[in-house]
PDB file of all heavy atoms in Angstrom:
ATOM      1  N   VAL A   1      -9.950 -86.135  29.118  1.00  0.00           N
ATOM      2  CA  VAL A   1      -9.624 -86.573  27.765  1.00  0.00           C
ATOM      3  C   VAL A   1     -10.887 -86.863  26.958  1.00  0.00           C
ATOM      4  O   VAL A   1     -11.856 -87.428  27.471  1.00  0.00           O
ATOM      5  CB  VAL A   1      -8.755 -87.847  27.817  1.00  0.00           C
ATOM      6  CG1 VAL A   1      -8.577 -88.466  26.443  1.00  0.00           C
ATOM      7  CG2 VAL A   1      -7.399 -87.547  28.442  1.00  0.00           C
ATOM      8  N   VAL A   2     -10.851 -86.474  25.675  1.00  0.00           N
ATOM      9  CA  VAL A   2     -11.799 -86.965  24.677  1.00  0.00           C
ATOM     10  C   VAL A   2     -11.076 -88.079  23.937  1.00  0.00           C
ATOM     11  O   VAL A   2     -10.034 -87.850  23.326  1.00  0.00           O
ATOM     12  CB  VAL A   2     -12.236 -85.868  23.688  1.00  0.00           C
ATOM     13  CG1 VAL A   2     -13.148 -86.458  22.619  1.00  0.00           C
ATOM     14  CG2 VAL A   2     -12.939 -84.737  24.411  1.00  0.00           C
ATOM     15  N   LEU A   3     -11.626 -89.283  23.993  1.00  0.00           N
ATOM     16  CA  LEU A   3     -10.987 -90.445  23.384  1.00  0.00           C
ATOM     17  C   LEU A   3     -11.720 -90.802  22.099  1.00  0.00           C
ATOM     18  O   LEU A   3     -12.934 -91.018  22.108  1.00  0.00           O
ATOM     19  CB  LEU A   3     -11.016 -91.618  24.365  1.00  0.00           C
ATOM     20  CG  LEU A   3     -10.255 -92.891  23.975  1.00  0.00           C
ATOM     21  CD1 LEU A   3      -8.786 -92.609  23.730  1.00  0.00           C
ATOM     22  CD2 LEU A   3     -10.415 -93.945  25.073  1.00  0.00           C
ATOM     23  N   VAL A   4     -10.973 -90.847  20.991  1.00  0.00           N
ATOM     24  CA  VAL A   4     -11.562 -90.997  19.655  1.00  0.00           C
ATOM     25  C   VAL A   4     -11.048 -92.263  18.991  1.00  0.00           C
ATOM     26  O   VAL A   4      -9.836 -92.517  18.980  1.00  0.00           O
ATOM     27  CB  VAL A   4     -11.208 -89.780  18.766  1.00  0.00           C
ATOM     28  CG1 VAL A   4     -11.897 -89.892  17.413  1.00  0.00           C
ATOM     29  CG2 VAL A   4     -11.553 -88.472  19.465  1.00  0.00           C
ATOM     30  N   GLY A   5     -11.961 -93.063  18.427  1.00  0.00           N
ATOM     31  CA  GLY A   5     -11.542 -94.271  17.729  1.00  0.00           C
ATOM     32  C   GLY A   5     -12.156 -94.382  16.351  1.00  0.00           C
ATOM     33  O   GLY A   5     -13.333 -94.059  16.156  1.00  0.00           O
ATOM     34  N   HIS A   6     -11.349 -94.840  15.393  1.00  0.00           N
ATOM     35  CA  HIS A   6     -11.848 -95.132  14.048  1.00  0.00           C
ATOM     36  C   HIS A   6     -11.840 -96.626  13.834  1.00  0.00           C
ATOM     37  O   HIS A   6     -10.877 -97.319  14.192  1.00  0.00           O
ATOM     38  CB  HIS A   6     -10.971 -94.465  12.985  1.00  0.00           C
ATOM     39  CG  HIS A   6     -11.260 -94.936  11.589  1.00  0.00           C
ATOM     40  ND1 HIS A   6     -10.442 -95.814  10.903  1.00  0.00           N
ATOM     41  CD2 HIS A   6     -12.312 -94.683  10.758  1.00  0.00           C
ATOM     42  CE1 HIS A   6     -10.962 -96.067   9.713  1.00  0.00           C
ATOM     43  NE2 HIS A   6     -12.095 -95.390   9.595  1.00  0.00           N
ATOM     44  N   SER A   7     -12.908 -97.174  13.254  1.00  0.00           N
ATOM     45  CA  SER A   7     -12.994 -98.576  12.877  1.00  0.00           C
ATOM     46  C   SER A   7     -12.719 -99.487  14.070  1.00  0.00           C
ATOM     47  O   SER A   7     -13.379 -99.371  15.098  1.00  0.00           O
ATOM     48  CB  SER A   7     -12.030 -98.841  11.713  1.00  0.00           C
ATOM     49  OG  SER A   7     -12.265-100.108  11.146  1.00  0.00           O
ATOM     50  N   TYR A   8     -11.744-100.387  13.967  1.00  0.00           N
ATOM     51  CA  TYR A   8     -11.374-101.250  15.104  1.00  0.00           C
ATOM     52  C   TYR A   8     -10.957-100.418  16.314  1.00  0.00           C
ATOM     53  O   TYR A   8     -11.103-100.854  17.465  1.00  0.00           O
ATOM     54  CB  TYR A   8     -10.253-102.201  14.679  1.00  0.00           C
ATOM     55  CG  TYR A   8      -9.460-102.774  15.818  1.00  0.00           C
ATOM     56  CD1 TYR A   8     -10.007-103.738  16.671  1.00  0.00           C
ATOM     57  CD2 TYR A   8      -8.153-102.350  16.058  1.00  0.00           C
ATOM     58  CE1 TYR A   8      -9.268-104.257  17.728  1.00  0.00           C
ATOM     59  CE2 TYR A   8      -7.413-102.866  17.099  1.00  0.00           C
ATOM     60  CZ  TYR A   8      -7.968-103.817  17.946  1.00  0.00           C
ATOM     61  OH  TYR A   8      -7.240-104.325  18.997  1.00  0.00           O
ATOM     62  N   GLY A   9     -10.480 -99.195  16.069  1.00  0.00           N
ATOM     63  CA  GLY A   9     -10.134 -98.305  17.177  1.00  0.00           C
ATOM     64  C   GLY A   9     -11.304 -98.062  18.109  1.00  0.00           C
ATOM     65  O   GLY A   9     -11.114 -97.737  19.287  1.00  0.00           O
ATOM     66  N   GLY A  10     -12.520 -98.222  17.606  1.00  0.00           N
ATOM     67  CA  GLY A  10     -13.689 -98.082  18.460  1.00  0.00           C
ATOM     68  C   GLY A  10     -13.763 -99.166  19.521  1.00  0.00           C
ATOM     69  O   GLY A  10     -14.282 -98.946  20.625  1.00  0.00           O
ATOM     70  N   VAL A  11     -13.267-100.355  19.197  1.00  0.00           N
ATOM     71  CA  VAL A  11     -13.207-101.432  20.179  1.00  0.00           C
ATOM     72  C   VAL A  11     -12.212-101.060  21.276  1.00  0.00           C
ATOM     73  O   VAL A  11     -12.487-101.208  22.471  1.00  0.00           O
ATOM     74  CB  VAL A  11     -12.798-102.770  19.520  1.00  0.00           C
ATOM     75  CG1 VAL A  11     -12.809-103.903  20.537  1.00  0.00           C
ATOM     76  CG2 VAL A  11     -13.711-103.089  18.347  1.00  0.00           C
ATOM     77  N   VAL A  12     -11.063-100.557  20.860  1.00  0.00           N
ATOM     78  CA  VAL A  12     -10.033-100.129  21.810  1.00  0.00           C
ATOM     79  C   VAL A  12     -10.570 -99.021  22.718  1.00  0.00           C
ATOM     80  O   VAL A  12     -10.386 -99.042  23.939  1.00  0.00           O
ATOM     81  CB  VAL A  12      -8.775 -99.658  21.058  1.00  0.00           C
ATOM     82  CG1 VAL A  12      -7.693 -99.218  22.039  1.00  0.00           C
ATOM     83  CG2 VAL A  12      -8.254-100.756  20.140  1.00  0.00           C
ATOM     84  N   VAL A  13     -11.246 -98.056  22.118  1.00  0.00           N
ATOM     85  CA  VAL A  13     -11.823 -96.937  22.858  1.00  0.00           C
ATOM     86  C   VAL A  13     -12.879 -97.425  23.854  1.00  0.00           C
ATOM     87  O   VAL A  13     -12.955 -96.937  24.985  1.00  0.00           O
ATOM     88  CB  VAL A  13     -12.433 -95.922  21.860  1.00  0.00           C
ATOM     89  CG1 VAL A  13     -13.413 -94.995  22.541  1.00  0.00           C
ATOM     90  CG2 VAL A  13     -11.335 -95.145  21.156  1.00  0.00           C
ATOM     91  N   SER A  14     -13.683 -98.379  23.433  1.00  0.00           N
ATOM     92  CA  SER A  14     -14.738 -98.895  24.311  1.00  0.00           C
ATOM     93  C   SER A  14     -14.153 -99.560  25.552  1.00  0.00           C
ATOM     94  O   SER A  14     -14.736 -99.498  26.637  1.00  0.00           O
ATOM     95  CB  SER A  14     -15.615 -99.895  23.559  1.00  0.00           C
ATOM     96  OG  SER A  14     -16.290 -99.265  22.492  1.00  0.00           O
ATOM     97  N   GLU A  15     -12.994-100.216  25.396  1.00  0.00           N
ATOM     98  CA  GLU A  15     -12.356-100.904  26.514  1.00  0.00           C
ATOM     99  C   GLU A  15     -11.487 -99.955  27.338  1.00  0.00           C
ATOM    100  O   GLU A  15     -11.564 -99.943  28.571  1.00  0.00           O
ATOM    101  CB  GLU A  15     -11.510-102.066  25.989  1.00  0.00           C
ATOM    102  CG  GLU A  15     -10.865-102.919  27.065  1.00  0.00           C
ATOM    103  CD  GLU A  15     -11.825-103.895  27.736  1.00  0.00           C
ATOM    104  OE1 GLU A  15     -13.021-103.915  27.375  1.00  0.00           O
ATOM    105  OE2 GLU A  15     -11.383-104.634  28.624  1.00  0.00           O
ATOM    106  N   ALA A  16     -10.676 -99.133  26.670  1.00  0.00           N
ATOM    107  CA  ALA A  16      -9.765 -98.232  27.384  1.00  0.00           C
ATOM    108  C   ALA A  16     -10.476 -97.008  27.945  1.00  0.00           C
ATOM    109  O   ALA A  16      -9.967 -96.345  28.852  1.00  0.00           O
ATOM    110  CB  ALA A  16      -8.640 -97.780  26.447  1.00  0.00           C
ATOM    111  N   GLY A  17     -11.665 -96.721  27.429  1.00  0.00           N
ATOM    112  CA  GLY A  17     -12.384 -95.512  27.820  1.00  0.00           C
ATOM    113  C   GLY A  17     -12.918 -95.505  29.232  1.00  0.00           C
ATOM    114  O   GLY A  17     -13.422 -94.483  29.698  1.00  0.00           O
ATOM    115  N   THR A  18     -12.814 -96.621  29.933  1.00  0.00           N
ATOM    116  CA  THR A  18     -13.227 -96.635  31.345  1.00  0.00           C
ATOM    117  C   THR A  18     -12.203 -95.932  32.229  1.00  0.00           C
ATOM    118  O   THR A  18     -12.463 -95.716  33.419  1.00  0.00           O
ATOM    119  CB  THR A  18     -13.426 -98.081  31.842  1.00  0.00           C
ATOM    120  OG1 THR A  18     -12.216 -98.824  31.618  1.00  0.00           O
ATOM    121  CG2 THR A  18     -14.577 -98.749  31.112  1.00  0.00           C
ATOM    122  N   ASP A  19     -11.058 -95.591  31.683  1.00  0.00           N
ATOM    123  CA  ASP A  19     -10.044 -94.848  32.443  1.00  0.00           C
ATOM    124  C   ASP A  19     -10.670 -93.577  33.023  1.00  0.00           C
ATOM    125  O   ASP A  19     -11.404 -92.867  32.329  1.00  0.00           O
ATOM    126  CB  ASP A  19      -8.883 -94.479  31.513  1.00  0.00           C
ATOM    127  CG  ASP A  19      -7.723 -93.856  32.254  1.00  0.00           C
ATOM    128  OD1 ASP A  19      -7.856 -92.694  32.699  1.00  0.00           O
ATOM    129  OD2 ASP A  19      -6.685 -94.516  32.386  1.00  0.00           O
ATOM    130  N   PRO A  20     -10.395 -93.265  34.294  1.00  0.00           N
ATOM    131  CA  PRO A  20     -11.025 -92.096  34.936  1.00  0.00           C
ATOM    132  C   PRO A  20     -10.770 -90.775  34.221  1.00  0.00           C
ATOM    133  O   PRO A  20     -11.579 -89.845  34.331  1.00  0.00           O
ATOM    134  CB  PRO A  20     -10.385 -92.088  36.335  1.00  0.00           C
ATOM    135  CG  PRO A  20      -9.937 -93.486  36.574  1.00  0.00           C
ATOM    136  CD  PRO A  20      -9.548 -94.022  35.233  1.00  0.00           C
ATOM    137  N   LYS A  21      -9.656 -90.651  33.490  1.00  0.00           N
ATOM    138  CA  LYS A  21      -9.380 -89.391  32.807  1.00  0.00           C
ATOM    139  C   LYS A  21     -10.262 -89.185  31.579  1.00  0.00           C
ATOM    140  O   LYS A  21     -10.418 -88.055  31.109  1.00  0.00           O
ATOM    141  CB  LYS A  21      -7.907 -89.350  32.364  1.00  0.00           C
ATOM    142  CG  LYS A  21      -6.933 -88.951  33.467  1.00  0.00           C
ATOM    143  CD  LYS A  21      -5.554 -88.705  32.876  1.00  0.00           C
ATOM    144  CE  LYS A  21      -4.597 -88.179  33.930  1.00  0.00           C
ATOM    145  NZ  LYS A  21      -3.240 -87.934  33.369  1.00  0.00           N
ATOM    146  N   VAL A  22     -10.822 -90.258  31.052  1.00  0.00           N
ATOM    147  CA  VAL A  22     -11.642 -90.149  29.840  1.00  0.00           C
ATOM    148  C   VAL A  22     -13.038 -89.670  30.211  1.00  0.00           C
ATOM    149  O   VAL A  22     -13.740 -90.321  30.985  1.00  0.00           O
ATOM    150  CB  VAL A  22     -11.724 -91.492  29.102  1.00  0.00           C
ATOM    151  CG1 VAL A  22     -12.646 -91.378  27.888  1.00  0.00           C
ATOM    152  CG2 VAL A  22     -10.336 -91.952  28.665  1.00  0.00           C
ATOM    153  N   GLU A  23     -13.430 -88.528  29.645  1.00  0.00           N
ATOM    154  CA  GLU A  23     -14.753 -87.969  29.944  1.00  0.00           C
ATOM    155  C   GLU A  23     -15.742 -88.192  28.817  1.00  0.00           C
ATOM    156  O   GLU A  23     -16.940 -88.323  29.066  1.00  0.00           O
ATOM    157  CB  GLU A  23     -14.646 -86.471  30.244  1.00  0.00           C
ATOM    158  CG  GLU A  23     -14.041 -86.177  31.602  1.00  0.00           C
ATOM    159  CD  GLU A  23     -14.397 -84.787  32.110  1.00  0.00           C
ATOM    160  OE1 GLU A  23     -15.093 -84.027  31.381  1.00  0.00           O
ATOM    161  OE2 GLU A  23     -13.989 -84.464  33.234  1.00  0.00           O
ATOM    162  N   ARG A  24     -15.241 -88.238  27.579  1.00  0.00           N
ATOM    163  CA  ARG A  24     -16.131 -88.348  26.423  1.00  0.00           C
ATOM    164  C   ARG A  24     -15.509 -89.255  25.372  1.00  0.00           C
ATOM    165  O   ARG A  24     -14.287 -89.331  25.255  1.00  0.00           O
ATOM    166  CB  ARG A  24     -16.423 -86.957  25.830  1.00  0.00           C
ATOM    167  CG  ARG A  24     -17.197 -86.075  26.814  1.00  0.00           C
ATOM    168  CD  ARG A  24     -17.043 -84.597  26.558  1.00  0.00           C
ATOM    169  NE  ARG A  24     -17.394 -83.845  27.754  1.00  0.00           N
ATOM    170  CZ  ARG A  24     -17.118 -82.558  27.942  1.00  0.00           C
ATOM    171  NH1 ARG A  24     -16.493 -81.876  27.012  1.00  0.00           N
ATOM    172  NH2 ARG A  24     -17.455 -81.969  29.061  1.00  0.00           N
ATOM    173  N   LEU A  25     -16.379 -89.900  24.611  1.00  0.00           N
ATOM    174  CA  LEU A  25     -15.946 -90.841  23.579  1.00  0.00           C
ATOM    175  C   LEU A  25     -16.459 -90.391  22.221  1.00  0.00           C
ATOM    176  O   LEU A  25     -17.584 -89.887  22.117  1.00  0.00           O
ATOM    177  CB  LEU A  25     -16.497 -92.241  23.877  1.00  0.00           C
ATOM    178  CG  LEU A  25     -16.256 -92.817  25.273  1.00  0.00           C
ATOM    179  CD1 LEU A  25     -17.148 -94.042  25.489  1.00  0.00           C
ATOM    180  CD2 LEU A  25     -14.799 -93.181  25.457  1.00  0.00           C
ATOM    181  N   VAL A  26     -15.640 -90.600  21.199  1.00  0.00           N
ATOM    182  CA  VAL A  26     -16.067 -90.299  19.833  1.00  0.00           C
ATOM    183  C   VAL A  26     -15.743 -91.499  18.950  1.00  0.00           C
ATOM    184  O   VAL A  26     -14.607 -92.004  18.960  1.00  0.00           O
ATOM    185  CB  VAL A  26     -15.372 -89.041  19.263  1.00  0.00           C
ATOM    186  CG1 VAL A  26     -15.889 -88.749  17.855  1.00  0.00           C
ATOM    187  CG2 VAL A  26     -15.608 -87.838  20.175  1.00  0.00           C
ATOM    188  N   TYR A  27     -16.744 -91.948  18.196  1.00  0.00           N
ATOM    189  CA  TYR A  27     -16.585 -93.072  17.276  1.00  0.00           C
ATOM    190  C   TYR A  27     -16.688 -92.549  15.851  1.00  0.00           C
ATOM    191  O   TYR A  27     -17.683 -91.911  15.492  1.00  0.00           O
ATOM    192  CB  TYR A  27     -17.674 -94.117  17.519  1.00  0.00           C
ATOM    193  CG  TYR A  27     -17.578 -94.798  18.867  1.00  0.00           C
ATOM    194  CD1 TYR A  27     -18.192 -94.251  19.995  1.00  0.00           C
ATOM    195  CD2 TYR A  27     -16.885 -95.993  19.017  1.00  0.00           C
ATOM    196  CE1 TYR A  27     -18.108 -94.877  21.235  1.00  0.00           C
ATOM    197  CE2 TYR A  27     -16.797 -96.637  20.241  1.00  0.00           C
ATOM    198  CZ  TYR A  27     -17.413 -96.066  21.348  1.00  0.00           C
ATOM    199  OH  TYR A  27     -17.316 -96.697  22.573  1.00  0.00           O
ATOM    200  N   ILE A  28     -15.663 -92.827  15.045  1.00  0.00           N
ATOM    201  CA  ILE A  28     -15.645 -92.396  13.651  1.00  0.00           C
ATOM    202  C   ILE A  28     -15.747 -93.642  12.778  1.00  0.00           C
ATOM    203  O   ILE A  28     -14.783 -94.393  12.630  1.00  0.00           O
ATOM    204  CB  ILE A  28     -14.352 -91.611  13.315  1.00  0.00           C
ATOM    205  CG1 ILE A  28     -14.150 -90.437  14.285  1.00  0.00           C
ATOM    206  CG2 ILE A  28     -14.399 -91.148  11.865  1.00  0.00           C
ATOM    207  CD1 ILE A  28     -15.244 -89.387  14.242  1.00  0.00           C
ATOM    208  N   ALA A  29     -16.950 -93.885  12.202  1.00  0.00           N
ATOM    209  CA  ALA A  29     -17.186 -95.095  11.393  1.00  0.00           C
ATOM    210  C   ALA A  29     -16.562 -96.300  12.092  1.00  0.00           C
ATOM    211  O   ALA A  29     -15.786 -97.056  11.515  1.00  0.00           O
ATOM    212  CB  ALA A  29     -16.605 -94.920   9.989  1.00  0.00           C
ATOM    213  N   ALA A  30     -16.918 -96.457  13.366  1.00  0.00           N
ATOM    214  CA  ALA A  30     -16.208 -97.399  14.232  1.00  0.00           C
ATOM    215  C   ALA A  30     -17.121 -98.469  14.822  1.00  0.00           C
ATOM    216  O   ALA A  30     -18.335 -98.300  14.920  1.00  0.00           O
ATOM    217  CB  ALA A  30     -15.529 -96.633  15.364  1.00  0.00           C
ATOM    218  N   PHE A  31     -16.487 -99.548  15.238  1.00  0.00           N
ATOM    219  CA  PHE A  31     -17.183-100.562  16.018  1.00  0.00           C
ATOM    220  C   PHE A  31     -17.363-100.041  17.448  1.00  0.00           C
ATOM    221  O   PHE A  31     -16.433 -99.466  18.024  1.00  0.00           O
ATOM    222  CB  PHE A  31     -16.382-101.867  16.053  1.00  0.00           C
ATOM    223  CG  PHE A  31     -16.292-102.560  14.730  1.00  0.00           C
ATOM    224  CD1 PHE A  31     -15.138-102.472  13.966  1.00  0.00           C
ATOM    225  CD2 PHE A  31     -17.359-103.305  14.244  1.00  0.00           C
ATOM    226  CE1 PHE A  31     -15.043-103.115  12.733  1.00  0.00           C
ATOM    227  CE2 PHE A  31     -17.285-103.947  13.010  1.00  0.00           C
ATOM    228  CZ  PHE A  31     -16.119-103.854  12.252  1.00  0.00           C
ATOM    229  N   ALA A  32     -18.553-100.246  17.995  1.00  0.00           N
ATOM    230  CA  ALA A  32     -18.836 -99.871  19.380  1.00  0.00           C
ATOM    231  C   ALA A  32     -19.439-101.097  20.067  1.00  0.00           C
ATOM    232  O   ALA A  32     -20.658-101.200  20.218  1.00  0.00           O
ATOM    233  CB  ALA A  32     -19.789 -98.682  19.441  1.00  0.00           C
ATOM    234  N   PRO A  33     -18.600-102.052  20.455  1.00  0.00           N
ATOM    235  CA  PRO A  33     -19.102-103.327  20.961  1.00  0.00           C
ATOM    236  C   PRO A  33     -19.741-103.220  22.344  1.00  0.00           C
ATOM    237  O   PRO A  33     -19.373-102.378  23.163  1.00  0.00           O
ATOM    238  CB  PRO A  33     -17.838-104.205  21.032  1.00  0.00           C
ATOM    239  CG  PRO A  33     -16.776-103.427  20.351  1.00  0.00           C
ATOM    240  CD  PRO A  33     -17.154-101.994  20.434  1.00  0.00           C
ATOM    241  N   ASP A  34     -20.667-104.114  22.591  1.00  0.00           N
ATOM    242  CA  ASP A  34     -21.226-104.284  23.925  1.00  0.00           C
ATOM    243  C   ASP A  34     -20.357-105.300  24.658  1.00  0.00           C
ATOM    244  O   ASP A  34     -19.419-105.871  24.092  1.00  0.00           O
ATOM    245  CB  ASP A  34     -22.675-104.772  23.826  1.00  0.00           C
ATOM    246  CG  ASP A  34     -23.488-104.467  25.084  1.00  0.00           C
ATOM    247  OD1 ASP A  34     -22.869-104.162  26.141  1.00  0.00           O
ATOM    248  OD2 ASP A  34     -24.724-104.535  25.021  1.00  0.00           O
ATOM    249  N   GLN A  35     -20.684-105.543  25.904  1.00  0.00           N
ATOM    250  CA  GLN A  35     -19.918-106.498  26.700  1.00  0.00           C
ATOM    251  C   GLN A  35     -19.877-107.878  26.025  1.00  0.00           C
ATOM    252  O   GLN A  35     -20.910-108.395  25.595  1.00  0.00           O
ATOM    253  CB  GLN A  35     -20.528-106.638  28.096  1.00  0.00           C
ATOM    254  CG  GLN A  35     -19.752-107.548  29.036  1.00  0.00           C
ATOM    255  CD  GLN A  35     -20.355-107.563  30.427  1.00  0.00           C
ATOM    256  OE1 GLN A  35     -21.431-107.014  30.665  1.00  0.00           O
ATOM    257  NE2 GLN A  35     -19.662-108.187  31.371  1.00  0.00           N
ATOM    258  N   GLY A  36     -18.676-108.426  25.900  1.00  0.00           N
ATOM    259  CA  GLY A  36     -18.511-109.745  25.302  1.00  0.00           C
ATOM    260  C   GLY A  36     -18.444-109.753  23.794  1.00  0.00           C
ATOM    261  O   GLY A  36     -18.186-110.797  23.192  1.00  0.00           O
ATOM    262  N   GLU A  37     -18.635-108.599  23.144  1.00  0.00           N
ATOM    263  CA  GLU A  37     -18.577-108.525  21.682  1.00  0.00           C
ATOM    264  C   GLU A  37     -17.181-108.150  21.210  1.00  0.00           C
ATOM    265  O   GLU A  37     -16.411-107.498  21.920  1.00  0.00           O
ATOM    266  CB  GLU A  37     -19.588-107.506  21.156  1.00  0.00           C
ATOM    267  CG  GLU A  37     -21.043-107.917  21.324  1.00  0.00           C
ATOM    268  CD  GLU A  37     -22.016-106.907  20.759  1.00  0.00           C
ATOM    269  OE1 GLU A  37     -21.618-105.736  20.555  1.00  0.00           O
ATOM    270  OE2 GLU A  37     -23.189-107.273  20.535  1.00  0.00           O
ATOM    271  N   SER A  38     -16.880-108.555  19.993  1.00  0.00           N
ATOM    272  CA  SER A  38     -15.617-108.235  19.339  1.00  0.00           C
ATOM    273  C   SER A  38     -15.910-107.883  17.889  1.00  0.00           C
ATOM    274  O   SER A  38     -17.056-108.026  17.423  1.00  0.00           O
ATOM    275  CB  SER A  38     -14.674-109.441  19.395  1.00  0.00           C
ATOM    276  OG  SER A  38     -15.233-110.520  18.652  1.00  0.00           O
ATOM    277  N   VAL A  39     -14.890-107.472  17.151  1.00  0.00           N
ATOM    278  CA  VAL A  39     -15.082-107.265  15.719  1.00  0.00           C
ATOM    279  C   VAL A  39     -15.557-108.564  15.076  1.00  0.00           C
ATOM    280  O   VAL A  39     -16.455-108.580  14.233  1.00  0.00           O
ATOM    281  CB  VAL A  39     -13.775-106.782  15.050  1.00  0.00           C
ATOM    282  CG1 VAL A  39     -13.932-106.767  13.530  1.00  0.00           C
ATOM    283  CG2 VAL A  39     -13.386-105.409  15.556  1.00  0.00           C
ATOM    284  N   GLN A  40     -14.971-109.654  15.494  1.00  0.00           N
ATOM    285  CA  GLN A  40     -15.308-110.956  14.918  1.00  0.00           C
ATOM    286  C   GLN A  40     -16.792-111.283  15.088  1.00  0.00           C
ATOM    287  O   GLN A  40     -17.443-111.739  14.146  1.00  0.00           O
ATOM    288  CB  GLN A  40     -14.456-112.044  15.562  1.00  0.00           C
ATOM    289  CG  GLN A  40     -14.497-113.380  14.847  1.00  0.00           C
ATOM    290  CD  GLN A  40     -13.381-114.301  15.314  1.00  0.00           C
ATOM    291  OE1 GLN A  40     -12.806-114.109  16.374  1.00  0.00           O
ATOM    292  NE2 GLN A  40     -13.065-115.296  14.509  1.00  0.00           N
ATOM    293  N   THR A  41     -17.337-111.039  16.262  1.00  0.00           N
ATOM    294  CA  THR A  41     -18.751-111.342  16.470  1.00  0.00           C
ATOM    295  C   THR A  41     -19.645-110.333  15.755  1.00  0.00           C
ATOM    296  O   THR A  41     -20.709-110.691  15.253  1.00  0.00           O
ATOM    297  CB  THR A  41     -19.099-111.363  17.968  1.00  0.00           C
ATOM    298  OG1 THR A  41     -18.872-110.068  18.553  1.00  0.00           O
ATOM    299  CG2 THR A  41     -18.265-112.394  18.711  1.00  0.00           C
ATOM    300  N   LEU A  42     -19.200-109.080  15.675  1.00  0.00           N
ATOM    301  CA  LEU A  42     -20.033-108.047  15.058  1.00  0.00           C
ATOM    302  C   LEU A  42     -20.123-108.186  13.546  1.00  0.00           C
ATOM    303  O   LEU A  42     -21.093-107.739  12.937  1.00  0.00           O
ATOM    304  CB  LEU A  42     -19.496-106.655  15.431  1.00  0.00           C
ATOM    305  CG  LEU A  42     -19.752-106.219  16.885  1.00  0.00           C
ATOM    306  CD1 LEU A  42     -18.944-104.973  17.214  1.00  0.00           C
ATOM    307  CD2 LEU A  42     -21.241-105.972  17.120  1.00  0.00           C
ATOM    308  N   ILE A  43     -19.111-108.802  12.920  1.00  0.00           N
ATOM    309  CA  ILE A  43     -19.148-108.958  11.462  1.00  0.00           C
ATOM    310  C   ILE A  43     -19.594-110.355  11.042  1.00  0.00           C
ATOM    311  O   ILE A  43     -19.628-110.665   9.846  1.00  0.00           O
ATOM    312  CB  ILE A  43     -17.771-108.645  10.833  1.00  0.00           C
ATOM    313  CG1 ILE A  43     -16.718-109.684  11.242  1.00  0.00           C
ATOM    314  CG2 ILE A  43     -17.317-107.234  11.179  1.00  0.00           C
ATOM    315  CD1 ILE A  43     -15.382-109.517  10.535  1.00  0.00           C
ATOM    316  N   ALA A  44     -19.944-111.184  12.009  1.00  0.00           N
ATOM    317  CA  ALA A  44     -20.267-112.588  11.708  1.00  0.00           C
ATOM    318  C   ALA A  44     -21.510-112.736  10.831  1.00  0.00           C
ATOM    319  O   ALA A  44     -21.590-113.642   9.995  1.00  0.00           O
ATOM    320  CB  ALA A  44     -20.447-113.373  13.002  1.00  0.00           C
ATOM    321  N   ASN A  45     -22.479-111.846  11.011  1.00  0.00           N
ATOM    322  CA  ASN A  45     -23.737-111.942  10.252  1.00  0.00           C
ATOM    323  C   ASN A  45     -24.043-110.617   9.564  1.00  0.00           C
ATOM    324  O   ASN A  45     -24.876-109.846  10.043  1.00  0.00           O
ATOM    325  CB  ASN A  45     -24.889-112.339  11.185  1.00  0.00           C
ATOM    326  CG  ASN A  45     -24.684-113.705  11.795  1.00  0.00           C
ATOM    327  OD1 ASN A  45     -24.616-114.710  11.097  1.00  0.00           O
ATOM    328  ND2 ASN A  45     -24.576-113.743  13.126  1.00  0.00           N
ATOM    329  N   PRO A  46     -23.373-110.328   8.458  1.00  0.00           N
ATOM    330  CA  PRO A  46     -23.598-109.051   7.771  1.00  0.00           C
ATOM    331  C   PRO A  46     -25.010-108.957   7.197  1.00  0.00           C
ATOM    332  O   PRO A  46     -25.626-109.977   6.882  1.00  0.00           O
ATOM    333  CB  PRO A  46     -22.554-109.058   6.656  1.00  0.00           C
ATOM    334  CG  PRO A  46     -22.287-110.512   6.405  1.00  0.00           C
ATOM    335  CD  PRO A  46     -22.426-111.184   7.740  1.00  0.00           C
ATOM    336  N   PRO A  47     -25.544-107.737   7.070  1.00  0.00           N
ATOM    337  CA  PRO A  47     -26.865-107.562   6.471  1.00  0.00           C
ATOM    338  C   PRO A  47     -26.874-108.092   5.036  1.00  0.00           C
ATOM    339  O   PRO A  47     -25.844-108.049   4.348  1.00  0.00           O
ATOM    340  CB  PRO A  47     -27.072-106.041   6.489  1.00  0.00           C
ATOM    341  CG  PRO A  47     -26.101-105.520   7.486  1.00  0.00           C
ATOM    342  CD  PRO A  47     -24.942-106.458   7.482  1.00  0.00           C
ATOM    343  N   PRO A  48     -28.007-108.577   4.557  1.00  0.00           N
ATOM    344  CA  PRO A  48     -28.094-109.075   3.180  1.00  0.00           C
ATOM    345  C   PRO A  48     -27.676-107.988   2.183  1.00  0.00           C
ATOM    346  O   PRO A  48     -28.094-106.839   2.282  1.00  0.00           O
ATOM    347  CB  PRO A  48     -29.582-109.413   3.022  1.00  0.00           C
ATOM    348  CG  PRO A  48     -30.060-109.671   4.421  1.00  0.00           C
ATOM    349  CD  PRO A  48     -29.275-108.743   5.291  1.00  0.00           C
TER     350      PRO A  48
END
């Protein structure tokens, strides 16, 4: 599977993408969080 996420869908893709069937990930203007990150933490300090 190619798993594709837009916006918050990128968070879903980042978590669900560990499924063995998923081979590749695509982010479309999406959040791509690291471990322990969420949309809430990623938008907490927007650029000036």
